[in-house]
Amino acid sequence: MALCVLWVLPDKFNAPRSRAWRFVVPYGLYSGADNKYAFFAPVVPSARRVRVRVLCGAEWIPFETTVNSNESRLRLHTIATMVMQKETDEQMAASWAAFALGNMPCATAALVEVDYYSVPSVSDYRRGERPDWNLLHVLAFMTKEELKSVEESRQ
Amino acid sequence: MTLTGIARRATAAYSFEPDINRAARALAVFRISLGLVVLWQAIMTARDLPLLMSQFGLIQQPINEAMAPPFLPRLAWFHKLWDAGLLTEHQLIYILLGLYLICIFFLIAGWRTRIFAAASLFFHLLFKASAASSSYGAHELSTNGLFFCILLPVSSYYTLARHAPAVDDFHVRLARLVLRSYLSIVYVSSGITKLLGATWRNGEAMWNFLMRPEVSVMNFGWLSHLPWLLVALGWFTLIVETGYLLCLFSVRARVAWFFGTLLLHLGIAVTLHLWFFSLTMIALNVGALGGFHWRWPRLRGFGNWVIL
């Protein structure tokens, strides 16, 4: 129980992890005591979504990742939030793009588009503004063969 | 007096537990409800497991591996089985899932509870770590819950075992105290972090929460004309979370906070569709706060209600 408290303390209080900490970590992982319970604290972040499109011939086709339950959809949503994080965005987007390219035999390139949901303030909403999706960034990927042919055409 | 004697007396004095049998029943309901929630979650994601955790799934295995904390069990531990051609990766996933479901079933049934709770926790962590990129807060909370099922006396009632363990006064008091202390840490740490920012106090966070695209139950735009209601909802959340500490000391506060947290989590489930998270929290709260006698204030004809 006391160890639970150690993990919820702000980082500045437990930054210098001692050697003893290494023995505590497995306990934290197996008991779940290593959690920080934020529950939308201190702020509610804006919603995000990831859209993937693949290039088949000259046409960009949307690629939908289909799942069988609401719970799986939530888990896809968690992956989408990882695509938004600077530390993981490229690897996650590359993996998603590779999955799309592998599932669409005609595809030679993929675009992973990340949108965020902008919510107007209460007063702006009263004035008529409405929430909307906005493009945040785009990551582009292509197959090795496509990349080779592009490089050859450049030379 | 021995150290154990002091511990027993201190627990008896500070657990504020009016009825031990009802407390033991609440712990048993916690075991069953948590088991059912985890079982439901496992079944709901069963068909999508290859997509979420296999080598060539949506997020490839090396990435999931890198994101998973060390020491935790994972699918890659068994890769020799499919390298040797004994099983395919999909077959292995479903064999492990089958074992997981069996363990949860015996946990719910209350048969050799500690062993099956430990086995359920092992498989739960395996599926969580193998799909680390898609695991979220609810998985962490159910990890806590399953760990408590190993340690706490949760099988004194409603069990298929021939000889249910006898209710031990001290262990039940201690178990409830541990659960309440744990939930106090969970809620109060979250509540304090929220209080430190301005958005939960001025209603802005509640507005942003209710206007998220996942909230499909209705368009809450009408709340822009009632900003005081947003402030009130924000403060309700803050009071439920930070005030949870009172449940450690007051039996009456437990009744109020039981319904407060129930309302909070049902609200989250209905609006954001976070059913797994909400039901896990409700199960934990049943174990920590349930088992009280509640008299309906006006309609006396309904008599006393026992909430488990």
Side-chain angles (χ1 to χ4, degrees):
Chain A
M1 194 54 59
L3 290 169
C4 243
V5 180
L6 277 182
W7 265 286
V8 296
L9 284 174
D11 284 339
K12 63 178 176 184
F13 291 110
N14 52 26
R17 309 278 198 198
S18 64
R19 275 189 185 179
W21 190 257
R22 271 188 281 167
F23 296 99
V24 179
V25 167
Y27 165 78
L29 291 170
Y30 276 85
S31 65
D34 63 333
N35 254 315
K36 285 201 170 183
Y37 308 96
F39 303 153
F40 291 116
V43 291
V44 177
S46 62
R48 298 106 195 246
R49 75 173 176 196
V50 170
R51 289 175 296 132
V52 180
R53 286 190 292 156
V54 290
L55 182 65
C56 277
E59 202 183 348
W60 286 100
I61 303 169
F63 174 79
E64 295 293 335
T65 310
T66 47
V67 286
N68 296 294
S69 68
N70 186 46
E71 185 56 28
S72 301
R73 239 183 313 282
L74 271 174
R75 297 188 68 165
L76 276 191
H77 182 76
T78 309
I79 297 174
T81 59
M82 305 292 271
V83 181
M84 301 285 290
Q85 290 172 13
K86 269 193 176 174
E87 309 84 46
T88 48
D89 62 348
E90 275 193 27
Q91 296 96 313
M92 303 294 275
S95 188
W96 205 319
F99 183 77
L101 291 169
N103 278 275
M104 303 277 278
C106 63
T108 51
L111 288 180
V112 177
E113 293 164 313
V114 183
D115 298 324
Y116 76 96
Y117 196 66
S118 145
V119 177
S121 67
V122 173
S123 50
D124 287 341
Y125 189 92
R126 274 203 303 266
R127 265 182 248 131
E129 247 185 77
R130 290 294 175 261
D132 201 7
W133 287 105
N134 294 290
L135 186 65
L136 188 72
H137 67 258
V138 182
L139 293 119
F141 301 91
M142 57 177 70
T143 56
K144 273 184 188 168
E145 295 78 35
E146 186 68 9
L147 185 66
K148 213 174 181 182
S149 70
V150 169
E151 281 172 347
E152 280 171 1
S153 66
R154 274 188 191 162
Q155 288 164 2
Chain B
M1 191 184 283
T2 61
L3 206 62
T4 325
I6 295 169
R8 278 178 182 273
R9 285 189 76 168
T11 311
Y14 297 109
S15 61
F16 305 104
E17 208 64 75
D19 188 327
I20 292 302
N21 282 321
R22 262 192 252 142
R25 279 202 178 93
L27 287 170
V29 176
F30 155 65
R31 180 199 85 230
I32 294 167
S33 48
L34 180 77
L36 287 172
V37 172
V38 176
L39 182 76
W40 170 73
Q41 194 271 342
I43 292 169
M44 281 293 124
T45 42
R47 285 175 69 188
D48 298 311
L49 283 177
L51 177 80
L52 297 170
M53 63 190 283
S54 73
Q55 208 164 10
F56 299 108
L58 188 61
I59 300 302
Q60 290 154 16
Q61 209 173 51
I63 300 175
N64 273 323
E65 282 280 303
M67 293 179 81
F71 313 115
L72 289 187
R74 59 200 69 198
L75 193 63
W77 282 11
F78 302 93
H79 74 96
K80 280 185 182 163
L81 285 172
W82 74 79
D83 284 352
L86 294 170
L87 290 167
T88 66
E89 192 190 23
H90 283 208
Q91 284 169 339
L92 182 64
I93 288 173
Y94 286 108
I95 288 170
L96 292 170
L97 180 70
L99 292 171
Y100 182 32
L101 296 181
I102 290 168
C103 293
I104 301 170
F105 172 78
F106 282 111
L107 169 68
I108 295 168
W111 192 72
R112 300 202 186 278
T113 311
R114 287 181 207 276
I115 294 169
F116 283 107
S120 300
L121 178 63
F122 174 84
F123 288 114
H124 173 77
L125 290 170
L126 185 145
F127 284 106
K128 188 183 92 167
S130 304
S133 58
S134 65
S135 70
Y136 62 102
H139 294 92
E140 309 298 339
L141 291 159
S142 43
T143 301
N144 289 132
L146 290 171
F147 184 73
F148 284 132
C149 286
I150 302 174
L151 296 181
L152 309 184
V154 291
S155 54
S156 302
Y157 284 98
Y158 316 125
T159 159
L160 293 186
R162 270 188 205 167
H163 306 289
V167 177
D168 181 302
D169 193 281
F170 169 65
H171 286 145
V172 170
R173 282 177 193 279
L174 189 64
R176 297 259 289 177
L177 196 61
V178 165
L179 261 183
R180 282 199 284 270
S181 308
Y182 158 72
L183 283 175
S184 296
I185 294 169
V186 169
Y187 284 114
V188 175
S189 65
S190 165
I192 289 173
T193 320
K194 284 189 177 95
L195 261 175
L196 292 176
T199 58
W200 279 95
R201 286 182 275 132
N202 61 21
E204 191 187 323
M206 195 46 80
W207 169 252
N208 287 333
F209 175 85
L210 290 170
M211 294 306 286
R212 284 176 74 89
E214 303 97 308
V215 180
S216 55
V217 62
M218 69 156 84
N219 180 0
F220 283 96
W222 55 271
L223 280 171
S224 65
H225 299 283
L226 302 167
W228 59 268
L229 192 53
L230 290 166
V231 177
L233 288 170
W235 275 100
F236 168 74
T237 310
L238 291 172
I239 290 167
V240 168
E241 291 193 345
T242 48
Y244 200 92
L245 206 62
L246 291 173
C247 299
L248 284 176
F249 314 106
S250 161
V251 179
R252 283 189 179 176
R254 266 175 231 161
V255 183
W257 259 260
F258 178 83
F259 290 108
T261 52
L262 190 69
L263 200 61
L264 185 74
H265 292 302
L266 286 178
I268 292 170
V270 170
T271 51
L272 276 193
H273 311 291
L274 291 173
W275 285 97
F276 175 38
F277 162 77
S278 300
L279 294 174
T280 305
M281 289 308 290
I282 290 171
L284 284 161
N285 273 304
V286 167
L289 309 179
F292 51 81
H293 237 329
W294 186 52
R295 188 183 285 275
W296 192 258
R298 286 183 192 160
L299 303 171
R300 288 209 170 176
F302 282 85
N304 293 337
W305 290 32
V306 177
I307 308 289
L308 285 175

